[in-house]
Amino acid sequence: MILKTSTVKSKVPQGSNAVLIKNLYLSCDPYMRWRMSKPNPQSYSTSFTPGSVINGYGVGKVVDSGHPDFKAGDLVSGVTGWEEYSLVPTPEALIKIKDTDIPLSNYTGILGMPGLTAYAGFHEVCSPKKGETVYVSAASGAVGQLVGQFAKFMGCYVVGSAGSKEKVDLLKEKFGFDDAFNYKEEQDLSAALKRCFPEGIDIYFENVGGRMLDAVLLNMKLFGRIAVCGMISQYNLTQPEGVHNLFCLISKRLKMQGFLELDYKHTYPQFLEVVIQYIREKKLVYYEDVAQGLENAPAALVGLFSGRNVGKQLASSKGE
Ligand code: NDP
């Protein structure tokens, strides 16, 4: 992984359509781990090229522009590099940030890719109804904390799991989950779920995979839905774990659907309108974990896989 820490600003080359941005916030996301593996035809994203600057979602400020739609001073979000300044050759893919009364860092999370994942994944894939029971794994993270709150807005009974007491307390006391448990302290995950959902689970928002998914399958209600958002417990394994209880899909007539945030990109403007309003009304609680400085971004990314982050992990880039 290469990080450029040069503070030298270059200019956009004459005649180019590119924009030069000063990166302000860089998003640390679990999918970036896949991109560090060899190219895989099953993956939906390309692998990083060894020796190149890694790229990912971020927020920046335009400092020079060869594109008629962008000018110096514009704030933008989109794919950028893990470096202080990035020359973006296709600025059409950047989104201009108009609502600047919201903290800019929020555009890497609640108002960015993880936010849309939570919003579309819950509302479109889970087909929730008032009064249903909802379980969210990795519940205190970027996506999970929002899914839980959207589910509460719908009038659902919501339980989350996370990997520390601090996170479990957050789920119950700040994010409004009805109940929560520390999965690391449970010998028998299925028994923990049975305790929280004696009548079973209508909706499972899957972020973790592996033995968690197996335990959930045993506790789903008839005609339940599983939205497969991610399987973070598998990303560092050379050989993914097997799932043993898939027969429950048949016996319980379950629907299990994977999805990508990319599928819902067209809904971003509408999503932004709704969620910005929630933020302004202080209806949503949102936790961020900000690593200070580009040089601390790699450790922050690695920390996602041991649960070091509390809330959405990002890194701030120092400077102007
Ligand atoms: P988080 O902010 O939730 O950070 C990752 C968290 O996962 C960690 O804090 C840790 O929390 C938990 N975790 C790490 N390793 C394990 C493990 N082995 N078993 C159980 N939990 C683990 O990340 P995001 O909210 O950004 O992402 C959550 C999931 O959503 C990921 O699987 C990601 O790949 C997926 N995703 C999918 C998208 C899509 O388009 N489908 C888009 C965005 C994200 P803890 O302390 O609780 O263990």
Side-chain angles (χ1 to χ4, degrees):
M1 185 185 311
I2 302 290
L3 290 175
K4 285 190 191 162
T5 52
S6 158
T7 51
V8 180
K9 299 188 233 179
S10 50
K11 299 285 282 178
V12 169
Q14 277 274 308
S16 158
N17 247 354
V19 298
L20 180 70
I21 63 171
K22 165 79 180 82
N23 291 310
L24 301 175
Y25 295 104
L26 301 168
S27 182
C28 303
D29 294 298
Y31 82 96
M32 298 174 90
R33 172 63 185 84
W34 298 6
R35 302 193 64 198
M36 291 172 192
S37 304
K38 288 192 186 129
N40 178 348
Q42 303 302 326
S43 171
Y44 60 88
S45 53
T46 53
S47 294
F48 292 126
T49 307
S52 314
V53 174
I54 70 169
N55 62 12
Y57 291 100
V59 170
K61 189 180 194 178
V62 174
V63 291
D64 191 22
S65 173
H67 195 285
D69 294 346
F70 295 88
K71 59 177 189 322
D74 283 348
L75 293 162
V76 291
S77 67
V79 174
T80 181
W82 280 33
E83 55 192 343
E84 290 204 11
Y85 293 90
S86 292
L87 192 65
V88 181
T90 50
E92 299 79 12
L94 294 172
I95 296 169
K96 265 201 228 180
I97 296 177
K98 298 195 189 86
D99 297 279
T100 50
D101 57 316
I102 314 284
L104 285 178
S105 56
N106 283 198
Y107 287 87
T108 65
I110 185 170
L111 295 177
M113 185 274 281
L116 182 57
T117 302
Y119 190 81
F122 182 66
H123 292 102
E124 303 295 329
V125 183
C126 297
S127 310
K129 291 191 266 312
K130 189 173 178 204
E132 288 191 315
T133 55
V134 176
Y135 173 53
V136 188
S137 55
S140 68
V143 175
Q145 60 175 297
L146 299 173
V147 172
Q149 293 179 78
F150 294 141
K152 284 310 299 173
F153 295 167
M154 285 290 300
C156 297
Y157 178 81
V158 189
V159 177
S161 61
S164 70
K165 178 178 183 316
E166 179 193 9
K167 291 182 180 184
V168 167
D169 289 347
L170 261 186
L171 294 176
K172 292 197 280 193
E173 288 159 22
K174 300 287 183 196
F175 300 135
F177 283 61
D178 295 289
D179 204 352
F181 65 91
N182 179 349
Y183 70 93
K184 289 182 181 165
E185 287 186 342
E186 300 288 344
Q187 290 293 327
D188 180 344
L189 285 175
S190 178
L193 290 167
K194 183 83 192 156
R195 187 176 74 228
C196 296
F197 298 100
E199 308 297 323
I201 301 166
D202 289 302
I203 292 171
Y204 174 43
F205 197 96
E206 164 72 302
N207 285 321
V208 162
R211 66 189 196 100
M212 182 64 86
L213 176 58
D214 257 330
V216 170
L217 283 164
L218 295 176
N219 285 278
M220 292 298 292
K221 275 192 200 172
L222 286 186
F223 301 104
R225 282 88 69 204
I226 300 177
V228 185
C229 175
M231 295 192 168
I232 195 165
S233 70
Q234 307 298 296
Y235 301 170
N236 276 328
L237 304 180
T238 42
Q239 190 64 42
E241 286 168 344
V243 180
H244 306 284
N245 296 329
L246 286 174
F247 64 87
C248 294
L249 292 174
I250 305 164
S251 57
K252 299 179 181 199
R253 284 81 106 196
L254 305 176
K255 271 191 190 155
M256 187 166 168
Q257 186 188 330
F259 71 97
L260 285 178
E261 172 263 356
L262 296 173
D263 304 331
Y264 298 95
K265 273 277 184 247
H266 60 286
T267 67
Y268 184 72
Q270 182 201 345
F271 153 82
L272 208 57
E273 215 173 286
V274 172
V275 176
I276 282 182
Q277 194 56 29
Y278 284 155
I279 295 173
R280 288 193 179 124
E281 289 169 3
K282 300 200 186 321
K283 262 183 96 173
L284 272 172
V285 178
Y286 176 58
Y287 268 60
E288 287 179 335
D289 194 331
V290 187
Q292 299 299 326
L294 198 52
E295 64 281 13
N296 291 315
L301 176 62
V302 172
L304 292 174
F305 299 89
S306 58
R308 204 182 86 171
N309 60 307
V310 179
K312 164 65 191 157
Q313 182 68 63
L314 64 147
S316 70
S317 173
K318 289 184 191 132
E320 129 200 21

